[in-house]
Amino acid sequence: MNLKPTMLQERIATLDILRGISLLGILVVNMYAFYLPMPHIDLASWFTTPSDIVWQQNLDIYVQSSFYPLFSLLFGYGLALQWQKAQSREQNFYGTGLRRLTVLFMFGLLHALLIWWGDILMMYAFCGVFLLLLLRLHPIWLLLTGIVINGFMHVFMLLVVGYINFNTEIETYLDITGVEKAITAYGTGNWIDAFLQRLSDLSIQAGIGMWIASLFTILPYMLIGAAASKWHLVERAKELKWLWLALTIAGLALGIFLKSVPILFTRTYLLDYIKVYIGGPILSVGYIGLVVLLCLMPVIPKILSPFAKIGRMSLTMYILQSMIGTFIFYQFGLGWYGKVSVATGVLIAIGIIVVQMILAEIWLTKWKQGPLEAIWRKLTYKAKTESS
């Protein structure tokens, strides 16, 4: 018997809203990589004008490193939901799940090669395979496994980084040659020039170290998300509102504090590590809790429904963001590379999200899912795409 995908009536609105909001956060962060020579610079020391510095610092606190953990948690939550549905129907999910992750990896590979080097889909698919192998575990073991894997990295890094660089200020990183090549290729070059530079940047983004690091920085959140899914923490939000309230308050307060420390005090390697790898994920839990609590009020899901619409089409919207971003900034498009302020980049990101909300509203009046989701579904479930 073939597995069937999650139907529209089975969807959980809060999860779609969270996916939509995370798409905004991810886009705001990705904007840097669309119009700046990343990964050849130290972002925190790159800007020189006061307004850019203030905007960058605020994004560093409230956005940077807090939305990839959020999406990782949601990824784990969603995959575990699909596994539970298969279990309830006495169906084997592993073949379908592996096929689903393989298709996602191929989407990511094409995205990275043909559109933008900063793809994250391949890493999600890679970590998803390990999650798939562990989905049979009891939720408490999923939670503990995620905490232990992530905690192992923290203990190792804090001992090493803390011992060696506790009082060492971060040296400004600037690869002049890399910067010049990126500006030339993306800012003044044609599509072929951008393609060749994209391969070079991709070799950094998808280097062997990044794949290993993803098992300690992405997989643990997927495991924790899967545990939350098995406990039905979002579906039982009203019943567990005090738990969500505690997670929200603790996550927001501690996350913002930890992410603010390197900016308020001297920026050291240790404090920067704590900001990114501890403060970022903690703040993401606060954001999730805040949205879950707000969605307990009947009017909020209606107000946030535009986010839910793009959340239902998250794969399509993620790829579309890269297409729009590269068109706006690269020379073969509008050619704005390196010509915008941080504030302008944020406004452009908001503008892109608004356009996507309109497109999603129009698209979903005719079809049940986005175009890439339909292809993903067909390749995964071998089912014919149906329009509503």
Side-chain angles (χ1 to χ4, degrees):
M1 183 183 295
N2 290 330
L3 287 174
K4 297 297 182 183
T6 300
M7 293 292 98
L8 185 61
Q9 62 269 23
E10 295 176 299
R11 300 195 70 92
I12 302 168
T14 302
L15 294 179
D16 284 331
I17 290 170
L18 281 166
R19 289 188 188 97
I21 291 174
S22 68
L23 281 171
L24 172 59
I26 289 170
L27 176 59
V28 169
V29 172
N30 286 347
M31 291 301 291
Y32 288 130
F34 288 139
Y35 66 79
L36 290 178
M38 309 263 299
H40 310 288
I41 63 173
D42 171 34
L43 196 60
S45 59
W46 173 259
F47 301 103
T48 56
T49 60
S51 61
D52 279 343
I53 292 173
V54 171
W55 272 91
Q56 187 276 325
Q57 289 178 341
N58 278 283
L59 291 180
D60 213 22
I61 295 172
Y62 298 105
V63 184
Q64 189 86 29
S65 73
S66 289
F67 282 88
Y68 84 85
L70 193 159
F71 212 86
S72 300
L73 289 163
L74 292 174
F75 189 96
Y77 205 107
L79 195 64
L81 277 179
Q82 293 171 353
W83 181 84
Q84 291 171 84
K85 287 186 176 72
Q87 289 296 105
S88 68
R89 298 165 184 163
E90 298 183 347
Q91 298 166 335
N92 183 4
F93 178 69
Y94 292 101
T96 303
L98 184 60
R99 194 158 58 241
R100 181 177 178 82
L101 292 171
T102 301
V103 175
L104 181 64
F105 185 91
M106 295 309 299
F107 272 126
L109 181 61
L110 291 174
H111 175 224
L113 291 176
L114 301 179
I115 304 173
W116 181 56
W117 58 267
D119 173 77
I120 196 64
L121 299 178
M122 290 189 293
M123 294 287 182
Y124 275 77
F126 171 69
C127 292
V129 173
F130 293 89
L131 172 62
L132 191 64
L133 296 175
L134 297 171
L135 277 178
R136 282 190 177 276
L137 293 178
H138 188 278
I140 189 64
W141 289 111
L142 286 169
L143 175 64
L144 291 177
T145 302
I147 291 174
V148 168
I149 293 174
N150 196 234
F152 176 81
M153 180 190 74
H154 292 327
V155 170
F156 176 78
M157 291 300 296
L158 290 177
L159 284 176
V160 174
V161 176
Y163 178 76
I164 297 176
N165 298 303
F166 187 83
N167 292 314
T168 304
E169 293 187 35
I170 292 180
E171 297 178 3
T172 300
Y173 171 73
L174 184 63
D175 178 3
I176 296 294
T177 302
V179 168
E180 291 177 346
K181 287 182 177 179
I183 291 175
T184 300
Y186 298 135
T188 62
N190 55 32
W191 191 91
I192 297 298
D193 296 324
F195 172 74
L196 295 175
Q197 181 64 35
R198 185 158 56 248
L199 294 181
S200 175
D201 290 340
L202 181 60
S203 68
I204 300 174
Q205 168 73 4
I208 184 63
M210 296 298 290
W211 295 98
I212 296 173
S214 70
L215 296 177
F216 296 92
T217 58
I218 294 177
L219 177 60
Y221 307 130
M222 289 183 176
L223 290 167
I224 294 170
S229 178
K230 286 193 170 187
W231 278 319
H232 305 292
L233 295 189
V234 173
E235 296 90 327
R236 298 166 57 208
K238 189 173 183 179
E239 172 191 344
L240 301 172
K241 62 182 177 182
W242 293 109
L243 171 63
W244 280 114
L245 183 61
L247 290 174
T248 301
I249 295 173
L252 293 177
L254 185 58
I256 291 173
F257 170 74
L258 292 177
K259 294 186 72 177
S260 301
V261 169
I263 296 172
L264 296 175
F265 303 99
T266 302
R267 183 177 173 232
T268 64
Y269 287 100
L270 176 64
L271 295 182
D272 223 48
Y273 176 87
I274 292 173
K275 175 195 72 176
V276 173
Y277 295 105
I278 299 179
I282 290 175
L283 183 57
S284 71
V285 172
Y287 285 152
I288 291 173
L290 180 61
V291 173
V292 169
L293 288 175
L294 287 174
C295 286
L296 292 178
M297 295 182 280
V299 69
I300 298 299
K302 294 179 181 179
I303 294 174
L304 297 180
S305 63
F307 282 106
K309 296 286 179 64
I310 62 173
R312 282 170 53 187
M313 301 173 58
S314 56
L315 175 61
T316 297
M317 292 304 174
Y318 174 71
I319 300 294
L320 182 59
Q321 287 175 357
S322 296
M323 295 174 67
I324 296 174
T326 52
F327 174 77
I328 290 174
F329 296 109
Y330 289 7
Q331 181 60 32
F332 54 78
L334 299 181
W336 291 3
Y337 191 85
K339 299 176 182 179
V340 301
S341 64
V342 180
T344 302
V346 173
L347 290 176
I348 291 173
I350 294 172
I352 292 173
I353 286 292
V354 171
V355 170
Q356 289 188 311
M357 287 176 173
I358 295 171
L359 292 175
E361 184 70 35
I362 296 172
W363 184 271
L364 292 174
T365 59
K366 296 184 177 181
W367 293 278
K368 294 179 180 179
Q369 55 190 168
L372 294 186
E373 284 77 9
I375 296 173
W376 193 10
R377 170 187 172 182
K378 185 173 183 179
L379 293 175
T380 300
Y381 298 98
K382 300 178 181 178
K384 195 180 222 180
T385 302
E386 298 175 0
S387 60
S388 58

